[in-house]
Amino acid sequence: MTKNFWKEKKPQEFTSEEWESICTRCGKCCQIKLEDEDNGDIFYTDLVCRYFDHETCCCSQYENRCTLVPTCLKLTPENWNTIPWIPQDCAYNILNKTGNLPEWHPLVSGQPLPSERSVKGKVVSENLVPEDEWEDHIIEDEDD
Ligand code: SF4
Ligand code: SF4
């Protein structure tokens, strides 16, 4: 990959490897979100998709994810700046808003993602909580 490619190219010009490397595997897009039926507000919870691998912080069904979970977020260079509920901390969201990656991003720091920026160890599988209790799992925002 070219050094600082995200500053030199448009997302549509990224190679697939470059595009994938923007993702920090933070897991925030796999958190269960609830929508207020009255006004459409979105609330993040500390619950996570049943296919989330808690060890690797990756999807255990990556190839079939959009079939298994129709609401699964599949970011592409075509839709990446159109998702209203994209996590604030998502590296794609930050790149879209600032044109750059933050200093904590592994491509910038050369270090793994700081643990406080990952959901690892902070979320519970949706399978373990009855759906009528999901509201009790709402958190203030996805960074909590
Ligand atoms: S929120 Fe963004 S950076 Fe984090 S895992 Fe999802 S797509 Fe990757
Ligand atoms: S299917 Fe995979 S990528 Fe999609 S929300 Fe679930 S764990 Fe995340």
Side-chain angles (χ1 to χ4, degrees), residues 43-77:
F43 298 92
Y44 274 74
T45 72
D46 63 3
L47 303 174
V48 74
C49 175
R50 67 194 62 198
Y51 299 113
F52 184 75
D53 183 321
H54 291 255
E55 278 304 310
T56 63
C57 230
C58 292
C59 181
S60 65
Q61 300 290 333
Y62 192 75
E63 295 304 323
N64 301 319
R65 65 195 190 285
C66 295
T67 305
L68 292 166
V69 181
T71 56
C72 179
L73 174 62
K74 183 179 183 182
L75 284 176
T76 68

Side-chain angles (χ1 to χ4, degrees), residues 4 7 9 24 40 42-44 67 77 97 111:
N4 295 343
K7 290 197 275 190
K9 302 193 216 176
T24 61
I42 299 291
F43 298 92
Y44 274 74
T67 305
K97 288 184 172 164
Q111 300 296 318

